[in-house]
Amino acid sequence: MHPHAETLWRGPRWTLAILLAVLGMLGPFSIDTYLPAFSGIASSLNASPVHMQQTLSAYLFGFAFMNLFHGALADSFGRRPVILWGLMAFTLASLGCALAQNVTQLIVFRAMQGLSCGAGVVVSRAIVRDIFPPTQAQKVMSQITIFFGLAPAIAPIMGGWLFVSLGWHSIFWLLTAIGLALWAVNFKMLPESLHASQRQPFSIPHLMRGYWQLCTDPRFLLLALASGIPFNGMFLYVLSAPAFLGELLQLQPTQFFWLFVLNIGGIMGGAWASGRLAGKMVPKKQVRHGLLIMLVISLINLTANLLFPAHALWAMLPIAIYSFGWALMVPVVTLQLLDLFPERRGMASSLQAVVGSTANGLVAGLVAPLVMHSAIALATASLGLMLVGLVSWMVLHQRWPEIGREN
């Protein structure tokens, strides 16, 4: 923690949570706003479905690659400069998307968006642990998750409305304006939470030693898998929204928000419960409850899709319950991961994001196109992704039972 942490933020804790949540929201917001416009963009740019999927994969892989460096840079130069430079790069990339004349240009600028917008989500997690002790950090992380959940609920509604009213270019003009506004707000308000005495030397050998230390620690890898892979059990449905909602459930683009509202309602509910349990329930028990909820609802979802044709009246509800379970456990797992290496929290946050975003990219580019046209295949893939996280946590619990025993 910063030696003068109590002086860094004078306002209520929830106001800092909002500021950090908005930084983390930028990534999913940039995805979910343009999903309702997929068909319109494809028609306007004469792009195939494969090309349109590549606009998503390019963003996700750019996000994953640069996450290797956001945290390490923040450990060396401070949290604030990395966020401000990232926001400026995101703003310029969004402007490029708005002005794109063909699908190749759109793919390139989407990749640039991905390269830049990860700074917020990576560095914001490190800031929380810089300022707050464990129990308070869990409460703040839960508050961040609650506010973070608003983005995917609002984004498709705004994206669908903008697409219908003003055309797909307006979506990226909105992202440009948001990037510029966030830069101005953070320039004025964001504190520097990494004390000069805690900064790491910026040199290639030192960075390589840090990466090696984290990447060869099985505890770190198992925690990263337990937090990052199960997310894709619900994210798969978001990525498959045009096919899942439009083809299988027969919803119109302006009705896509129902999936996002239910999904985010689950996330916000789980995050609220996680914050309420901070300091009252040992972390590992809370993680176990979240994983159990995800396992049971995944099995129910698969069984229901095997027995009945997918219908809008019920097919989205299991995703919301799954989201509740994920949000219940992920703040705890994230804090356990960051506390493995207190001197390298930025790097740890980076590598955690790399694991998650690489999985997101693989699911977007490989898994989603294979399963998006079948409700049974979607439910099966979601269950499989959840089991990766469950097995990772079970192995961790067996080999290092002390992790998560105390708040």
Side-chain angles (χ1 to χ4, degrees), residues 8 54 90 96 107 109 111 121 124 152 156 167 171 178 196 226 243 245 287 299 325 398:
L8 295 180
Q54 287 174 347
F90 173 83
I107 291 171
F109 285 114
V121 66
S124 62
I171 294 172
I178 289 173
L245 300 176
V287 174
L299 291 171
Q398 183 178 18

Side-chain angles (χ1 to χ4, degrees), residues 15-193:
T15 57
L16 177 60
I18 290 178
L19 181 63
L20 298 178
V22 172
L23 289 172
M25 287 162 55
L26 194 59
F29 192 88
S30 301
I31 295 172
D32 297 338
T33 44
Y34 96 124
L35 286 179
F38 249 44
S39 59
I41 297 173
S43 176
S44 173
L45 300 180
N46 294 317
S48 68
V50 173
H51 285 140
M52 290 307 302
Q53 200 67 31
Q54 287 174 347
T55 67
L56 187 56
S57 296
Y59 175 94
L60 293 172
F61 280 116
F63 185 92
F65 172 77
M66 194 59 199
N67 277 344
L68 282 168
F69 307 104
H70 287 311
L73 291 170
D75 283 340
S76 296
F77 300 108
R79 315 305 193 199
R80 181 180 160 90
V82 174
I83 287 179
L84 292 176
W85 280 105
L87 287 172
M88 183 55 66
F90 173 83
T91 302
L92 295 174
S94 300
L95 179 62
C97 290
L99 299 174
Q101 300 299 307
N102 55 60
V103 72
T104 300
Q105 292 177 6
L106 184 61
I107 291 171
V108 169
F109 285 114
R110 285 290 288 170
M112 291 176 61
Q113 277 188 320
L115 287 168
S116 57
C117 78
V121 66
V122 168
V123 180
S124 62
R125 289 196 293 247
I127 291 173
V128 171
R129 200 59 186 89
D130 289 341
I131 297 177
F132 299 104
T135 298
Q136 290 186 36
Q138 183 181 334
K139 293 179 180 179
V140 174
M141 199 74 76
S142 299
Q143 290 172 341
I144 288 174
T145 305
I146 291 173
F147 295 122
F148 171 86
L150 293 174
I154 297 171
I157 299 173
M158 297 182 67
W161 183 84
L162 286 171
F163 169 56
V164 171
S165 303
L166 301 173
W168 67 267
H169 293 88
S170 63
I171 294 172
F172 294 105
W173 283 115
L174 172 66
L175 293 177
T176 302
I178 289 173
L180 192 59
L182 282 178
W183 185 91
V185 170
N186 281 275
F187 180 81
K188 183 176 181 179
M189 298 180 62
L190 186 70
E192 178 51 69
S193 64

Side-chain angles (χ1 to χ4, degrees), residues 378-397:
L378 278 167
T380 302
S382 178
L383 173 61
L385 291 163
M386 183 271 151
L387 289 175
V388 173
L390 176 62
V391 171
S392 299
W393 179 258
M394 291 174 64
V395 172
L396 182 81
H397 171 69

